[in-house]
Amino acid sequence: MIDPRKNIIKERLESIKRIVAVSGGKGGIGKSIISTLTALILKDDGKNVGLLDMDFTSPSTHIILGQEKLPFPKEEKGIIPLNIDGLSYLSIVSYTQDNPTPLRGEDITNAILELFAITRWGNLDYLILDLPPGIGDVLLELLVLTRKIEFLLVTTPSSLSWQTFIKVVRLLKEQNIPIIGALLNMVNSSTYGFEEKIISSGVRYLGKLDFYRDLERYIGKPDEIMDTAMVKELKDILEDVL
Amino acid sequence: MIDPRKNIIKERLESIKRIVAVSGGKGGIGKSIISTLTALILKDDGKNVGLLDMDFTSPSTHIILGQEKLPFPKEEKGIIPLNIDGLSYLSIVSYTQDNPTPLRGEDITNAILELFAITRWGNLDYLILDLPPGIGDVLLELLVLTRKIEFLLVTTPSSLSWQTFIKVVRLLKEQNIPIIGALLNMVNSSTYGFEEKIISSGVRYLGKLDFYRDLERYIGKPDEIMDTAMVKELKDILEDVL
Amino acid sequence: MHEWSLAEAVVETAIDFAKKKQLTKLTKIKIRVGELQQIEEDIFRYALSEILKLKGDFVKDTEIEIEEEEVVLKCRICGHVWTGKEIFNILGEDDKEAIHFLPEVAHTYTKCPSCGSTDFEIIKGRGLYIDSITGDKS
Amino acid sequence: MHEWSLAEAVVETAIDFAKKKQLTKLTKIKIRVGELQQIEEDIFRYALSEILKLKGDFVKDTEIEIEEEEVVLKCRICGHVWTGKEIFNILGEDDKEAIHFLPEVAHTYTKCPSCGSTDFEIIKGRGLYIDSITGDKS
Ligand SMILES: Nc1ncnc2c1ncn2[C@@H]1O[C@H](COP(=O)(O)OP(=O)(O)O)[C@@H](O)[C@H]1O
Ligand SMILES: Nc1ncnc2c1ncn2[C@@H]1O[C@H](COP(=O)(O)OP(=O)(O)O)[C@@H](O)[C@H]1O
Ligand SMILES: [Mg+2]
Ligand SMILES: [Mg+2]
Ligand SMILES: [Mg+2]
Ligand SMILES: [Mg+2]
Ligand code: NI
Ligand code: NI
Ligand SMILES: [Zn+2]
Ligand SMILES: [Zn+2]
């Protein structure tokens, strides 16, 4: 008994130049905001960009993009991602709307397999993956399904995020998965030495993003957010690496 | 083929008066800090309190309590929780230390079953459960194993946390699980109307905790943190409900 | 019509397998599809035959057998077991379409008829499998 | 000695079951324990017999059969399958003790001998099951 879906994934991802997964382990460190802004920045730079929201319990990227509801993607010999703000976009929200979707690990594994097998991304310069918190089924299954992937890591200057950050780093390094680098997010007054900690973990330190007290006002307004100081900071950080 | 472990759990929890799970769906909203402080506040009030860290990828409560490493709990006709700062305490960190522990959903389900079946909590007034983010295997399996449970929910004044908060509320209400109420955490200047949103979701609004810029300095110093304004705020909030 | 993408997966996998086993002709592919996904067999068969046509003599006259596996769900709270008809009869068209694309969102639209829980195991009837691949050896 | 708490679970479950089936005597409990957990059979047997003593005539002379199920792990990355001896020979005492308490932390201390991945499936040899409960009916 063979599951034929696994076999087609390589072909489905062939037309994508770089696949960048945004992770860091802990929840609430800014993975979703950073992955969405990264996608928008690259698109504004003229690139073909896809964004896949892989957080099935707390999908967030559609809210950042100002989409309360999402239609079904079109079917054309597979699934054709939505076009949201110029991004090739896919989220489970198209299928669940805002209903609770209590998935066990096994369900998550199956859902990811299905999504990767039937989605036709077409030619992309970048596919950005917004991962959920945790070192669980999503991250692990992703590494089962493809090795054509690089990680952009995020952490906050907190000992609580650090514990998980360092576990993710160890896991990825043990499996020789490329790490683009790490971004220190939500920096208030002090970085509490986390810059040095990142460097000594053997990961490239990309820079820091301040804590923006009024970020909430820009959630759902992608055009306005692109004019903020936060996006400017992020652009500078990403310039050299993406 | 019967799994005998499920059967003994009721007996294991019999000597506990109230089991309070701290959840809210999203990551990084303060579940771990609030569950730990809640346990300490109740203990300082003279209660017998247990704290179980159920976040297997990002265990945090031991760090808040200033424990870098945790010894094995003693064996005595089962597992006897550690005594940390006067709390009956248990975390996967005793068995994993700071190593990555990539668990799939199925592993998580099994681990929770095992922990609940072999742990002898003894007489407790409260057992506080620190849940991981997500509506996944931990939350779902907990509801499979026991209905002697109440939820203390947390959210932040952000549209991103709200989406998951409301899903957790719906899931719990549909299954008639008691919700003690919800706490709005990390409030900066504005609550952005989230007070009203909580109330209109049919959940008791318990109050708000400010965003404390220097909280990081108190992580790992449980004695000092108990003298902070944050703990005072939290005490006031919990007084009426726990 | 995402049946097409699944058909591609089946054909690619079968051909890969057959070539690895050094078959000279692929005579039959036996496929099992889970009922949960409500794959339209006509469309799926059409897609399979169109895709096979592009693959040359190796798959000329390849026979396709499709078997649907009934969905069986089991509630993790009360143990109740229920099946296909009970699930689909009460679903709206949009719910069915959502499940067609992503079978796991059944957890959003279906609940245990006995206790109302959405925490159930999909015992059978999910996914897509190749049961067997048959061919000629030279 | 957390074998004791598992023994309690077994006895409680077996008696519950037997009473539901209206047995008048519980003559045999057949137990399967996963090798992964490295349960000490002597201690487990001792605990079972001590706990049974407290339960009166109903379980007088109840026979206990314990079967150990071999651990089989399968790597989710490379498909490699490996078993008990290969796992335990290279573990330190503390690692073994951690796994004894919480079998799932095997994912912390064991990796695939072929590719180094810690993402493996525990195909067999985890957990504790009652295979059968036998008794007399009046
Ligand atoms: N640099 C920042 N300044 C202020 N708030 C931020 C910043 N980055 C993220 N946030 C906020 O923190 C919360 C968590 O961010 P989110 O992107 O959802 O994290 P994750 O995806 O890691 O859970 C959100 O409310 C978000 O608006
Ligand atoms: N009221 C608060 N003020 C300032 N920082 C807070 C507050 N509550 C939590 N934090 C910080 O936010 C981060 C996430 O908190 P944590 O308790 O780990 O959340 P969760 O358990 O929900 O993931 C931590 O770095 C914590 O120190
Ligand atoms: Mg997110
Ligand atoms: Mg726009
Ligand atoms: Mg936490
Ligand atoms: Mg102290
Ligand atoms: Ni279709
Ligand atoms: Ni023991
Ligand atoms: Zn049910
Ligand atoms: Zn391997």
Side-chain angles (χ1 to χ4, degrees):
Chain A
M1 219 172 61
I2 316 174
D3 190 325
R5 294 174 297 175
K6 284 202 176 170
N7 222 39
I8 201 79
I9 288 175
K10 203 174 164 204
E11 199 175 311
R12 295 276 180 258
L13 302 178
E14 221 162 43
S15 55
I16 304 172
K17 287 198 191 117
R18 291 176 75 177
I19 303 177
V20 177
V22 179
S23 181
K26 186 92 166 64
I29 54 179
K31 295 180 294 295
S32 293
I33 196 97
I34 288 171
S35 54
T36 309
L37 294 180
T38 298
L40 290 172
I41 287 170
L42 291 167
K43 184 222 37 172
D44 281 355
D45 196 35
K47 303 292 195 294
N48 280 327
V49 184
L51 176 61
L52 173 62
D53 196 321
M54 297 187 77
D55 190 339
F56 299 149
T57 38
S58 297
S60 303
T61 55
H62 67 294
I63 303 169
I64 300 169
L65 292 168
Q67 308 290 320
E68 284 284 292
K69 286 181 181 271
L70 292 173
F72 286 141
K74 260 191 298 191
E75 285 196 84
E76 223 178 278
K77 300 192 170 180
I79 278 182
I80 310 296
L82 301 173
N83 181 330
I84 306 282
D85 267 310
L87 301 173
S88 290
Y89 181 80
L90 216 56
S91 161
I92 196 174
V93 173
S94 281
Y95 306 113
T96 61
Q97 301 307 333
D98 54 3
N99 298 298
T101 304
L103 301 181
R104 297 278 190 151
E106 194 193 0
D107 301 313
I108 289 173
T109 298
N110 267 286
I112 295 178
L113 174 58
E114 186 80 18
L115 275 181
F116 273 77
I118 67 179
T119 305
R120 294 180 177 272
W121 290 100
N123 290 319
L124 292 181
D125 296 305
Y126 296 92
L127 174 61
I128 310 292
L129 309 177
D130 181 26
L131 297 200
I135 305 179
D137 287 273
V138 174
L139 177 60
L140 297 173
E141 190 61 19
L142 191 60
L143 297 179
V144 168
L145 295 181
T146 180
R147 291 290 159 136
K148 183 188 176 174
I149 193 165
E150 314 158 70
F151 278 74
L152 179 65
L153 299 181
V154 181
T155 188
T156 62
S158 157
S159 45
L160 300 184
S161 338
W162 182 254
Q163 297 292 319
T164 318
F165 175 82
I166 199 74
K167 288 178 190 171
V168 172
V169 169
R170 274 183 57 187
L171 187 92
L172 295 175
K173 288 203 167 206
E174 275 173 20
Q175 304 213 19
N176 297 313
I177 313 282
I179 301 175
I180 295 170
L183 226 141
L184 198 57
N185 188 29
M186 301 202 224
V187 175
N188 251 308
S189 35
S190 165
T191 58
Y192 293 98
F194 280 95
E195 207 173 310
E196 292 73 29
K197 280 189 165 187
I198 290 173
I199 294 167
S200 71
S201 77
V203 170
R204 177 168 174 188
Y205 173 70
L206 299 177
K208 70 183 173 67
L209 282 177
D210 287 329
F211 182 88
Y212 291 95
R213 280 180 78 126
D214 60 350
L215 180 58
E216 182 60 23
R217 298 188 196 283
Y218 294 98
I219 302 292
K221 296 171 187 154
D223 292 337
E224 289 178 35
I225 207 175
M226 295 309 282
D227 295 327
T228 58
M230 181 175 182
V231 168
K232 224 170 151 225
E233 259 191 302
L234 184 57
K235 257 187 205 157
D236 284 345
I237 289 174
L238 297 178
E239 212 167 38
D240 296 339
V241 289
L242 286 186
Chain B
M1 219 170 61
I2 315 174
D3 190 324
R5 295 174 297 175
K6 285 202 176 172
N7 221 40
I8 201 78
I9 288 175
K10 204 175 161 202
E11 199 175 312
R12 296 275 181 257
L13 303 178
E14 222 161 43
S15 56
I16 304 171
K17 288 199 191 116
R18 291 177 75 178
I19 303 178
V20 177
V22 179
S23 180
K26 186 93 166 63
I29 54 179
K31 295 181 294 296
S32 294
I33 196 98
I34 287 171
S35 53
T36 309
L37 294 180
T38 298
L40 291 173
I41 287 170
L42 292 167
K43 185 223 38 174
D44 282 355
D45 196 35
K47 304 292 195 295
N48 280 326
V49 184
L51 177 61
L52 173 61
D53 196 322
M54 298 187 74
D55 190 339
F56 299 150
T57 37
S58 297
S60 302
T61 56
H62 67 294
I63 304 169
I64 299 169
L65 292 168
Q67 309 289 321
E68 284 285 292
K69 284 179 184 270
L70 292 172
F72 285 141
K74 258 191 301 191
E75 285 196 85
E76 223 177 279
K77 301 193 172 179
I79 279 182
I80 311 295
L82 301 174
N83 181 331
I84 305 283
D85 268 310
L87 301 173
S88 290
Y89 182 80
L90 216 56
S91 161
I92 195 174
V93 172
S94 281
Y95 306 112
T96 61
Q97 300 307 334
D98 55 3
N99 298 297
T101 304
L103 301 181
R104 296 279 191 152
E106 194 193 0
D107 300 313
I108 289 173
T109 297
N110 268 285
I112 295 178
L113 175 57
E114 186 81 18
L115 275 181
F116 273 77
I118 67 178
T119 305
R120 294 179 178 273
W121 290 100
N123 291 318
L124 291 182
D125 296 306
Y126 296 92
L127 174 61
I128 310 293
L129 309 177
D130 181 26
L131 298 200
I135 305 179
D137 287 273
V138 174
L139 177 60
L140 297 172
E141 189 61 18
L142 191 59
L143 298 179
V144 168
L145 296 181
T146 181
R147 290 290 158 136
K148 182 187 177 176
I149 192 166
E150 314 158 70
F151 278 75
L152 179 65
L153 298 182
V154 182
T155 187
T156 62
S158 157
S159 45
L160 300 184
S161 338
W162 182 253
Q163 298 292 319
T164 319
F165 176 81
I166 199 73
K167 287 177 190 170
V168 172
V169 170
R170 274 182 58 187
L171 187 93
L172 296 175
K173 290 204 166 206
E174 276 173 20
Q175 303 214 19
N176 298 312
I177 314 283
I179 301 174
I180 295 170
L183 227 143
L184 198 57
N185 187 31
M186 300 203 223
V187 175
N188 250 308
S189 34
S190 165
T191 57
Y192 294 99
F194 279 95
E195 208 172 310
E196 292 73 29
K197 280 189 165 186
I198 290 172
I199 294 166
S200 70
S201 78
V203 170
R204 176 167 176 189
Y205 173 70
L206 300 176
K208 69 185 174 65
L209 282 177
D210 287 329
F211 183 89
Y212 292 94
R213 281 180 78 126
D214 60 350
L215 181 58
E216 181 61 24
R217 298 188 197 284
Y218 295 97
I219 303 290
K221 297 170 186 155
D223 293 336
E224 289 177 36
I225 206 175
M226 294 309 282
D227 295 327
T228 58
M230 181 174 181
V231 167
K232 222 169 152 229
E233 260 191 301
L234 184 58
K235 258 186 207 158
D236 284 345
I237 290 174
L238 297 178
E239 212 167 38
D240 296 338
V241 290
L242 285 185
Chain C
M1 268 287 285
H2 78 292
E3 279 78 356
W4 189 280
S5 58
L6 296 174
E8 278 178 341
V10 168
V11 173
E12 294 295 330
T13 305
I15 291 179
D16 276 8
F17 179 90
K19 295 214 158 145
K20 242 180 238 153
K21 296 279 168 190
Q22 298 181 303
L23 303 183
T24 53
K25 213 168 161 53
L26 183 60
T27 53
K28 185 172 170 181
I29 310 175
K30 202 176 150 192
I31 305 168
R32 187 136 46 91
V33 294
E35 182 193 4
L36 184 58
Q37 187 146 7
Q38 299 275 294
I39 283 184
E40 291 199 45
E41 197 178 315
D42 289 357
I43 301 179
F44 191 43
R45 272 192 187 281
Y46 172 76
L48 285 163
S49 71
E50 290 296 304
I51 294 161
L52 283 170
K53 273 184 204 158
L54 307 171
K55 302 290 177 181
D57 271 0
F58 184 67
V59 293
K60 213 167 160 275
D61 314 315
T62 300
E63 188 197 338
I64 301 289
E65 187 182 324
I66 300 175
E67 194 196 322
E68 195 181 64
E69 186 180 81
E70 191 192 22
V71 206
V72 178
L73 306 182
K74 183 175 182 194
C75 178
R76 285 199 164 95
I77 299 295
C78 77
H80 183 76
V81 172
W82 73 109
T83 57
K85 268 184 224 80
E86 290 175 82
I87 301 163
F88 291 110
N89 279 345
I90 51 172
L91 287 178
E93 279 313 308
D94 269 9
D95 305 353
K96 271 191 211 158
E97 195 162 337
I99 294 173
H100 171 62
F101 286 119
L102 208 56
E104 282 66 38
V105 303
H107 289 278
T108 300
Y109 301 110
T110 306
K111 44 183 152 192
C112 170
S114 171
C115 80
S117 165
T118 50
D119 186 20
F120 50 78
E121 197 181 341
I122 304 172
I123 305 263
K124 269 196 343 167
R126 145 159 82 184
L128 170 69
Y129 298 96
I130 299 181
D131 260 341
S132 65
I133 296 163
T134 323
D136 296 338
K137 271 209 154 144
S138 61
Chain D
M1 268 286 287
H2 80 291
E3 279 78 357
W4 190 279
S5 58
L6 296 173
E8 277 178 342
V10 168
V11 173
E12 294 294 331
T13 305
I15 291 180
D16 276 7
F17 180 88
K19 296 216 156 144
K20 240 179 239 154
K21 297 279 169 193
Q22 299 182 302
L23 302 183
T24 53
K25 213 168 162 49
L26 183 61
T27 53
K28 184 172 171 182
I29 310 174
K30 200 174 152 194
I31 305 167
R32 186 136 46 91
V33 294
E35 181 193 6
L36 184 57
Q37 187 146 7
Q38 299 274 295
I39 283 184
E40 292 199 45
E41 198 179 314
D42 289 357
I43 301 180
F44 191 41
R45 271 192 187 281
Y46 172 76
L48 284 164
S49 71
E50 290 295 305
I51 294 162
L52 282 170
K53 274 184 204 157
L54 307 170
K55 302 290 176 181
D57 271 0
F58 186 67
V59 292
K60 212 167 160 275
D61 314 315
T62 301
E63 188 196 337
I64 300 289
E65 187 182 326
I66 299 174
E67 194 196 321
E68 195 181 64
E69 186 180 82
E70 191 190 23
V71 207
V72 178
L73 306 181
K74 183 175 180 192
C75 179
R76 285 200 165 93
I77 300 295
C78 76
H80 183 76
V81 171
W82 73 110
T83 57
K85 266 185 226 78
E86 289 174 83
I87 301 163
F88 291 109
N89 280 347
I90 51 173
L91 286 178
E93 278 315 306
D94 269 10
D95 305 353
K96 270 190 211 161
E97 195 162 337
I99 294 173
H100 171 63
F101 286 119
L102 207 57
E104 282 64 39
V105 303
H107 289 277
T108 301
Y109 301 109
T110 307
K111 43 184 152 191
C112 170
S114 170
C115 80
S117 166
T118 50
D119 186 19
F120 49 78
E121 197 182 343
I122 304 173
I123 304 265
K124 269 195 345 165
R126 144 159 84 183
L128 169 70
Y129 297 96
I130 299 181
D131 259 342
S132 65
I133 295 163
T134 322
D136 295 338
K137 269 206 157 146
S138 60

